[in-house]
Amino acid sequence: MKNSTIRICAILMAVFLLVGAIFYFAAGDSLYFTPSSSKPVSGKGNVGELLEGMSLKQSFTCQTDTLESVGLLLATMDRTNTDVLKIELTDEAGTLLFSEEVNTADPSRVQNNAQLVITPRESIENAKGKTYTLTVTSLHGVSGNAVTFYYGNTVNAGRANVAVDVSEKDALYVNGSIKTDEANLFCSLCLTVAGNNLHLFGSIYWYVYAGAALLFGLLLVYLAYCHLKEKKNAILEILYSFKRYRFLTKQLVARDFKTKYKRSVLGVLWSFLNPLLTMSIQYVVFSTIFKSDIPNFSIYLLSGIICFNFFNEATNMCLMSIVGNATLINKVYVPKYIYPFSRTLSSSINLLLSLVPLLIMLLITRTPITLAILLLPFVLLMLFLFSYGVGLILAALMVFFRDTQFLWGIVSMLLMYLTPVFYPESIIPDRFMSVYRLNPMYQILRFIRSILVDGKSPEPMSYLYCILLCGVPLLIGILVFRKSQNKFIFNL
């Protein structure tokens, strides 16, 4: 018994160390920095041909820790121009930080209705919150042989453009005169500022992980001591319960899975077909009728459908888990949390099966599969814990208040529309985003799409948000369920 306990602890410690190493390499540069770019102003008009001696001056405030590049939307009039543009970047004190001459005849730099990207030789550090000024001057532009630049004062937010308040300080100046539109509102160049947001976590990761490994090791030693000395411990009691009732859990999961597909011709194939058919319908609706311009929309949509379908199925099954097993609960003693747990577990089987068509779509769309996909188990675990936590609350409420099933149908539908399953988060006004981000499903979908669509780990804070926003409902669910479970038998 002692040898087996030591062996299990050693295995768990080895797994912990291995997971930490895999996480570091899978997360990669995202532990150190996150690339970010400003939302460009939509083109409303152009400044006209930039002729010799004409200049454009545009100030902007950097929103990232470092400034890596600046993009300007221009037009060549579908012709090859031979002008040379002198581009200068200065700081608030007027110090010249960067200067470059761009030949407009160079097709690798200048293309019609595309961005001219200006990249300093070295990234500008400590740029966040500072104001910079970009000046573009034509050296040889002549009429019929010069480029032009776009300006505007709206940004694209999904299906519509939203007005932005351009201050006089950040307005576009053409030859020293401020640029306004037909409504006398200030305008800005269609400017995209790109940079990196730096994270301290990457540089201290191994120190943090070493401390976590030490704490985990001490916990294992303490649990092993309690186990060998047969001392009571809350964590061990939970583990003993799962071990003692694992056969029952297995039978309950098998029953739920078989019942779902009982007398179905296609059976388990519906786990593959359901998300694919739903995605196909919504893909046609939102990509054709509503003209969605989300990059790689099929993966974006399918990942959202699969995650929300699991959440919806798991919570609805948990909701009936106590009431539906009233006969068994009245006859045999079983820890009551086993019932919603088995329902969530059976829904997880459908979730794993649904990942197969998602993988197929990744291959069909030729979406690059990177090391970041190794982080997928983390976000799926968060989704499971969040669904189980909500399921515990619903299971307890259903015993005392049978209208819960009807109310939850409305609440879950509302939650779906408050989650970017099929629409981009960019359509949400900035003033609501601080509240919008409190939706755990938003954080989960954002995490999984970063892995699958962008091929990279999200920033370190996303892990903390997922753990907190999924862990709090789980803790609340455990407390509510535990406090009310002794009264279940009087209401079944």
Side-chain angles (χ1 to χ4, degrees):
M1 180 178 176
K2 182 178 179 180
N3 291 336
S4 62
T5 302
I6 294 174
R7 184 168 63 252
I8 292 172
C9 290
I11 292 172
L12 290 174
M13 193 66 204
V15 170
F16 185 87
L17 295 174
L18 180 62
V19 168
I22 292 175
F23 170 77
Y24 180 79
F25 291 106
D29 291 337
S30 296
L31 295 177
Y32 294 90
F33 63 86
T34 301
S36 179
S37 60
S38 62
K39 190 179 295 185
V41 169
S42 301
K44 177 179 286 188
N46 64 70
V47 298
E49 290 182 301
L50 203 62
L51 305 180
E52 182 176 356
M54 290 181 61
S55 66
L56 307 176
K57 183 174 288 187
Q58 176 73 65
S59 296
F60 61 91
T61 302
C62 186
Q63 301 299 324
T64 52
D65 293 326
T66 66
L67 176 59
E68 303 293 332
S69 67
V70 179
L72 298 167
L73 185 62
L74 59 72
T76 64
M77 314 294 186
D78 281 325
R79 66 195 179 200
T80 301
N81 300 287
T82 56
D83 190 13
V84 175
L85 301 176
K86 184 177 182 180
I87 300 175
E88 297 176 318
L89 182 68
T90 57
D91 61 13
E92 295 170 321
T95 304
L96 182 64
L97 302 176
F98 174 77
S99 179
E100 179 185 15
E101 293 186 0
V102 178
N103 189 342
T104 59
D106 183 359
S108 65
R109 294 290 306 278
V110 180
Q111 297 180 14
N112 192 39
N113 296 327
Q115 285 207 341
L116 170 63
V117 180
I118 311 302
T119 306
R121 296 176 185 85
E122 296 182 357
S123 61
I124 299 173
E125 306 291 336
N126 301 315
K128 191 168 187 176
K130 295 182 180 179
T131 299
Y132 298 90
T133 300
L134 189 70
T135 304
V136 181
T137 305
S138 170
L139 299 183
H140 308 299
V142 295
S143 182
N145 191 19
V147 299
T148 186
F149 290 86
Y150 288 103
Y151 68 86
N153 50 21
T154 61
V155 294
N156 183 268
R159 296 174 57 194
N161 284 338
V162 178
V164 292
D165 184 19
V166 179
S167 65
E168 184 176 356
K169 177 176 68 72
D170 294 329
L172 166 64
Y173 285 81
V174 181
N175 285 337
S177 300
I178 196 166
K179 185 68 179 178
T180 59
D181 62 4
E182 62 278 0
N184 289 324
L185 297 175
F186 297 133
C187 294
S188 164
L189 284 173
C190 298
L191 198 72
T192 301
V193 181
N196 293 324
N197 286 313
L198 305 179
H199 308 305
L200 176 65
F201 187 70
S203 58
I204 64 172
Y205 173 78
W206 291 112
Y207 298 103
V208 173
Y209 187 62
L214 178 60
L215 292 175
F216 185 69
L218 292 174
L219 176 63
L220 289 178
V221 171
Y222 175 69
L223 293 178
Y225 171 78
C226 292
H227 175 67
L228 293 174
K229 297 296 183 179
E230 298 183 355
K231 290 188 175 183
K232 286 188 176 182
N233 181 276
I235 298 176
L236 288 178
E237 288 299 321
I238 295 173
L239 295 177
Y240 292 155
S241 295
F242 280 115
K243 182 180 180 181
R244 189 179 303 118
Y245 295 102
R246 68 178 181 274
F247 177 77
L248 175 61
T249 303
K250 188 184 299 183
Q251 294 302 311
L252 290 172
V253 170
R255 184 197 65 180
D256 292 336
F257 191 74
K258 291 176 182 177
T259 301
K260 181 175 182 178
Y261 298 111
K262 187 177 181 181
R263 297 182 180 179
S264 171
V265 176
L266 296 178
V268 73
L269 284 176
W270 280 113
S271 294
F272 301 92
L273 293 175
N274 186 44
L276 282 176
L277 293 175
T278 305
M279 183 213 70
S280 300
I281 295 171
Q282 293 189 354
Y283 183 84
V284 171
V285 171
F286 291 103
S287 65
T288 305
I289 300 176
F290 292 107
K291 305 293 184 182
S292 174
D293 57 354
I294 300 174
N296 208 342
F297 184 58
S298 57
I299 302 301
Y300 182 95
L301 180 60
L302 186 56
S303 60
I305 290 172
I306 287 174
C307 289
F308 204 88
N309 278 357
F310 165 75
F311 171 75
N312 208 27
E313 179 186 349
T315 52
N316 277 297
M317 290 183 69
C318 286
L319 185 144
M320 298 298 297
S321 60
I322 301 299
V323 175
N325 288 288
T327 305
L328 188 59
I329 291 172
N330 287 327
K331 290 181 179 179
V332 183
Y333 171 77
V334 176
K336 295 176 183 63
Y337 60 81
I338 292 293
Y339 297 108
F341 179 77
S342 66
R343 292 292 178 91
T344 311
L345 207 57
S346 63
S347 296
S348 299
I349 298 175
N350 292 323
L351 172 63
L352 295 177
L353 292 174
S354 299
L355 293 178
V356 176
L358 179 58
L359 178 61
I360 293 173
M361 285 301 300
L362 286 171
L363 298 176
I364 291 175
T365 57
R366 297 183 180 180
T367 303
I369 299 176
T370 65
L371 276 177
I373 201 169
L374 296 175
L375 302 171
L376 198 57
F378 169 81
V379 69
L380 295 180
L381 176 62
M382 293 298 104
L383 178 60
F384 178 91
L385 295 178
F386 172 59
S387 303
Y388 181 51
V390 175
L392 286 172
I393 298 172
L394 293 173
L397 290 176
M398 184 62 182
V399 174
F400 304 102
F401 188 54
R402 299 303 168 93
D403 289 343
T404 301
Q405 57 186 320
F406 306 112
L407 291 173
W408 178 243
I410 298 172
V411 172
S412 61
M413 182 177 65
L414 177 62
L415 183 61
M416 182 186 72
Y417 287 112
L418 290 175
T419 304
V421 176
F422 46 79
Y423 61 84
E425 63 179 86
S426 58
I427 69 173
I428 306 299
D430 290 339
R431 64 182 181 274
F432 297 132
M433 281 304 296
S434 57
V435 177
Y436 191 77
R437 292 189 183 99
L438 295 177
N439 178 1
M441 287 303 297
Y442 162 77
Q443 296 293 342
I444 288 170
L445 292 188
R446 183 173 175 269
F447 198 109
I448 198 170
R449 284 163 176 166
S450 178
I451 293 171
L452 298 178
V453 178
D454 301 331
K456 61 183 181 181
S457 165
E459 68 277 7
M461 287 302 294
S462 290
Y463 293 88
L464 182 60
Y465 292 148
C466 278
I467 292 171
L468 289 177
L469 292 176
C470 295
V472 169
L474 177 63
L475 291 176
I476 294 174
I478 292 172
L479 292 174
V480 169
F481 194 87
R482 184 175 180 181
K483 187 175 181 179
S484 58
Q485 62 180 342
N486 293 331
K487 302 176 184 178
F488 288 171
I489 196 167
F490 302 111
N491 293 274
L492 291 177

